[in-house]
Amino acid sequence: MLPPQSPNPQLSALHPTLRAARAANSVAFALQGFFLAVILTELPQQKDKFGLTDGLIVASVAMISLLAGAGSITAERIALRWSSRTALRIGLALIAVAGAAIAVSPNKIALFAALAVYGIALGIVDAGTNMQAVFIQHGYGRFVLVSFYAAWSAGSIAGALLVSAFEKLHVPLTASILIAAAVVLAGCLAAGPRLLGTDEAEAGPAEQETTSSVPVRVFWIFGTVIALAFAIDLAVGNWSALYLKDELLSSSATAALALAAYQGASLLGRLTGDMWVRRFGPRTVVRTAAAVGSIGLVIVVSAPGPAVAILGFLVAGIGLPVIAPLCFSEAGQLTSGRDLDALIARLNLFNYAGTLVGGAVVGVLADAVNMRAGFAIPLAFAVLLIGFARVFHPRATTVPSPTEPAAEPA
């Protein structure tokens, strides 16, 4: 087992910088969740505007996932060359540019090109925010990583509610996406300079080992859990609005509330997640979260109408969204310095493997049968995660110090 938690002395000496970086990275997480929610909850409107079939939506989700994987590798290269701060600032700026292009796309070809750019940016930001989060947790010497995902949830709620409000006010699709892109750009300019730079993160503390020293079995186990967790999360994000609108015959404004309910519950779970981990340990938290999520998805699959489905998404959101950040948190104990950038970027690739399943495969099944059958896939994944809980530490553990080797999870 790992020794008791203690702050990383090289980072803890920079408390004002560390606090500022935590706030800035929380903003980055929130911006990522905000814009993704806008894009996903606008899917019904994009479908109507461009005459998209479910098959084309599946293709766009698959394309974004594949290119986001390339974006994650790009973030690794940028972080190793400069810093994770540089990677994250580039990624956020690219999201704003891609958002503007999505907004003004005149046809399907232009839309798909803009979504391709967004996919690359998505991967860069995903990897960059997680790199920063693990370094910041190393500095604090205690579990704080789940709180960053709470910021992501808050941003996602804001994005979903913004779309719902714009729908009620009949704001044009182009204007709503342009406004969202402007918010991302403003947040990037404000928060970017406060992120941890090379001196506070990548350059200290650096271990002599490389990511190849991380046990392969451990890497693949955590990667699988990340893939399952994100498959569920993206299935909800990609298909919840369409499920309510097409299968349960709700309005577009009501359909957007499904994602808002899921993210609202996830916000509560993530705000308290670090506390529960410190008290009961990652293993118990993951097992409980997966069980609660399974119950919620059973409600979703069996829902007779929109209100019950929204309740199911709310219940699922209480537990499932804490699992992915705990994977990055546990993996972050295996190395540090620039090696950590590479490890996080490579683990983040499993995010997009999960996205392909949660977005594309669910959509294929929905197209072949119906959307209700599609949501049986994330339900099965949630049940699998109950079993995977045993790979996490039974008790809260620490970020390893520069002189102490990282232990393999129990």
Side-chain angles (χ1 to χ4, degrees), residues 142-341:
R142 56 187 173 87
F143 281 95
V144 297
L145 200 146
V146 179
S147 66
F148 290 112
Y149 281 74
W152 191 98
S153 296
S156 184
I157 293 166
L161 292 178
L162 180 73
V163 171
S164 183
F166 280 176
E167 283 297 299
K168 285 185 176 294
L169 296 172
H170 305 291
V171 176
L173 179 63
T174 297
S176 63
I177 298 179
L178 280 175
I179 291 170
V183 170
V184 173
L185 181 59
C188 172
L189 294 175
R194 295 172 176 265
L195 296 165
L196 290 182
T198 304
D199 291 342
E200 302 92 7
E202 280 83 3
E207 293 185 347
Q208 297 300 315
E209 300 173 348
T210 66
T211 53
S212 63
S213 66
V214 175
V216 174
R217 184 180 70 87
V218 175
F219 176 81
W220 280 99
I221 286 173
F222 283 128
T224 300
V225 175
I226 287 171
L228 292 173
F230 276 109
I232 298 169
D233 205 57
L234 268 294
V236 174
N238 286 352
W239 299 108
S240 59
L242 289 172
Y243 176 50
L244 264 70
K245 187 173 184 290
D246 294 349
E247 187 75 23
L248 302 180
L249 306 179
S250 74
S251 67
S252 294
T254 299
L257 295 179
L259 183 58
Y262 179 82
Q263 294 298 350
S266 76
L267 176 60
L268 176 62
R270 287 170 169 175
L271 282 172
T272 59
D274 291 315
M275 177 187 70
W276 297 123
V277 172
R278 289 194 292 266
R279 183 171 181 179
F280 297 107
R283 183 179 298 173
T284 298
V285 171
V286 170
R287 182 175 290 124
T288 303
V292 171
S294 298
I295 293 170
L297 289 171
V298 167
I299 296 173
V300 169
V301 170
S302 60
V308 176
I310 290 172
L311 173 63
F313 285 120
L314 187 147
V315 173
I318 292 172
L320 292 169
V322 305
I323 296 174
L326 286 179
C327 286
F328 286 111
S329 179
E330 294 260 307
Q333 299 175 41
L334 302 176
T335 187
S336 63
R338 291 190 180 273
D339 293 342
L340 183 55
D341 284 331

Side-chain angles (χ1 to χ4, degrees), residues 2 34 50 78 85 91 120-121 156 165 208 238 262 345 355 387 404:
L2 293 170
F34 168 78
F50 293 104
I78 296 172
R85 176 172 65 184
I120 294 171
S156 184
Q208 297 300 315
N238 286 352
Y262 179 82
T355 301
E404 293 167 326

